[in-house]
Amino acid sequence: MQHNPVKIGGLSGLVLVVCFLVGYTTAWALSPWYDFGGNYLSDLGVQEGALAFNLGVMSAGLITIPFAWGLWSTLREHILGKLGSVLCALAGIFLLLVGVFPEHTEPEGIHNIVSVSFFASLGVALMILALPLIRSPAFRRVAAPLTIVVIVLSIVLVIPLGAGPLMETIAVLEALVWVFVVSVQMILFARSEQEEIPAQE
């Protein structure tokens, strides 16, 4: 159990959230012009706080892979759980590329492509994961209802807000809360499984 992928995934998710927030808040502090909800987050990746923001985004994207591995290990009995976990890992790769290719990077338009791909793959992953999360004892009480709330809230808000900076900011905050909650539940689930083994012996 020392290498329990569920526990590793949960811990990775917490580190993912911390890495992103540290990079984001540091870049924000270094960028007095940045308007929360008024600027795209990626605007921080090209000026004073560029190094902090891009490193935060790249590290968060990379750490999404072990987080997705933990999801896979928890939800692998359901085909949608496997597919959603793979899409989470793919979203992490696109997030990594957002930091690798900041705004105005050559080739032209590459940043927009990887950014849109990140949000699209993450959004589809959440929709696919909703059912396996509901059916999973590890997630059905908190993470599953939260996933439904995030999906519905995003759909409701995107109609009046469009795909502008405020909607992007809200979507990222929703994703961070979701990853945090799922990660905590993965850690608790791994701990409960570990405690059951001595009891069975």
Side-chain angles (χ1 to χ4, degrees), residues 84-100:
S85 300
V86 170
L87 283 173
C88 272
L90 183 61
I93 294 171
F94 284 126
L95 182 59
L96 170 67
L97 293 176
V98 167
V100 173

Side-chain angles (χ1 to χ4, degrees), residues 3-96:
H3 302 290
N4 186 331
V6 179
K7 183 177 181 180
I8 292 172
L11 293 173
S12 297
L14 298 182
V15 174
L16 182 166
V17 172
V18 171
C19 285
F20 183 89
L21 288 178
V22 168
Y24 172 63
T25 54
T26 301
W28 185 359
L30 294 172
S31 308
W33 50 267
Y34 178 74
D35 179 19
F36 181 81
N39 286 97
Y40 288 102
L41 274 70
S42 293
D43 292 344
L44 292 170
V46 292
Q47 298 195 44
E48 301 94 329
L51 180 61
F53 180 79
N54 291 328
L55 284 177
V57 167
M58 287 188 287
S59 58
L62 187 62
I63 300 169
T64 301
I65 295 173
F67 167 75
W69 180 41
L71 264 182
W72 171 289
S73 300
T74 313
L75 303 174
R76 60 188 175 189
E77 294 182 2
H78 198 294
I79 184 62
L80 292 180
K82 292 180 179 179
L83 180 57
S85 300
V86 170
L87 283 173
C88 272
L90 183 61
I93 294 171
F94 284 126
L95 182 59
L96 170 67

